[in-house]
Amino acid sequence: MRTKILCLLIIFPFIAYSQKLERTDLIGNWKFIYGEKNTKIKNDSLSKKMTAKYGIEIIVSDEKINRSDIEITSGWYKDGDLISDYWKVSENGILVYRPVPKDKLDYYKKYTVGVIEQLDNDKYYFAGPILINIISLKDKELVIVDNIYNLHYELN
């Protein structure tokens, strides 16, 4: 009996961790609930340089963090000003491709190399999608990383 319990305790974390993120898991309207400073990220080098040079200490505490809600459909991703009609799921989160404005498409095609790319939907996007890092997605809660903050969203 102990052997069975021990095996379950060893195997279960691997099964839980290996669950793959799917596009359908993300579809919905995600309401921003709150943000918190990521405790794994220490003071940045800029604040250390300012402390050394000017003798002032930069303290970030009790900040009010405001973010837009996120709307995700099978064809659209919208998070404030970041709006795209093409997104994918990666191991780390969501890859959002920024569309090239139609009025600038001819310029980018003619004068640039490697700045834009044509994807499988035959539309043009800026090369290098934006990665939205997902920390966790469970029940109706989504937690993503934005710079030094963990942002918590709830599915409406």
Side-chain angles (χ1 to χ4, degrees):
M1 184 66 173
R2 287 184 185 176
T3 308
K4 289 181 183 179
I5 293 173
L6 182 61
C7 287
L8 286 174
L9 289 174
I10 292 171
I11 294 172
F12 182 73
F14 292 111
I15 294 170
Y17 183 74
S18 67
Q19 293 177 353
K20 193 169 184 173
L21 187 63
E22 300 290 334
R23 282 176 63 97
T24 54
D25 297 334
L26 296 164
I27 292 175
N29 291 323
W30 296 91
K31 180 177 171 48
F32 177 72
I33 305 300
Y34 69 96
E36 60 189 357
K37 191 165 184 183
N38 188 340
T39 57
K40 293 181 182 178
I41 299 174
K42 303 295 180 203
N43 288 338
D44 64 350
S45 58
L46 178 63
S47 65
K48 288 179 185 174
K49 285 179 186 174
M50 287 182 71
T51 302
K53 186 173 181 179
Y54 299 109
I56 57 173
E57 186 177 345
I58 297 174
I59 300 172
V60 178
S61 62
D62 298 328
E63 289 185 68
K64 180 144 173 90
I65 302 167
N66 292 317
R67 293 294 188 275
S68 301
D69 294 344
I70 299 174
E71 298 174 29
I72 304 175
T73 67
S74 59
W76 287 90
Y77 178 94
K78 182 178 183 214
D79 180 2
D81 293 332
L82 178 58
I83 301 171
S84 180
D85 62 349
Y86 194 85
W87 62 276
K88 293 181 181 180
V89 173
S90 75
E91 288 182 21
N92 302 3
I94 307 168
L95 296 172
V96 181
Y97 291 82
R98 295 168 295 143
V100 176
K102 290 180 183 178
D103 61 333
K104 296 183 181 179
L105 181 59
D106 290 335
Y107 169 81
Y108 281 107
K109 280 182 175 179
K110 190 173 182 179
Y111 298 110
T112 65
V113 175
V115 175
I116 65 171
E117 60 185 336
Q118 187 175 18
L119 299 179
D120 56 6
N121 64 354
D122 292 329
K123 294 182 181 177
Y124 287 89
Y125 299 85
F126 289 103
I130 295 172
L131 174 63
I132 311 295
N133 283 314
I134 296 177
I135 295 176
S136 72
L137 175 64
K138 55 186 171 192
D139 299 326
K140 293 185 175 192
E141 185 182 25
L142 170 69
V143 182
I144 64 172
V145 176
D146 180 15
N147 199 3
I148 60 169
Y149 302 105
N150 293 342
L151 305 178
H152 295 254
Y153 292 86
E154 184 177 77
L155 185 61
N156 281 345

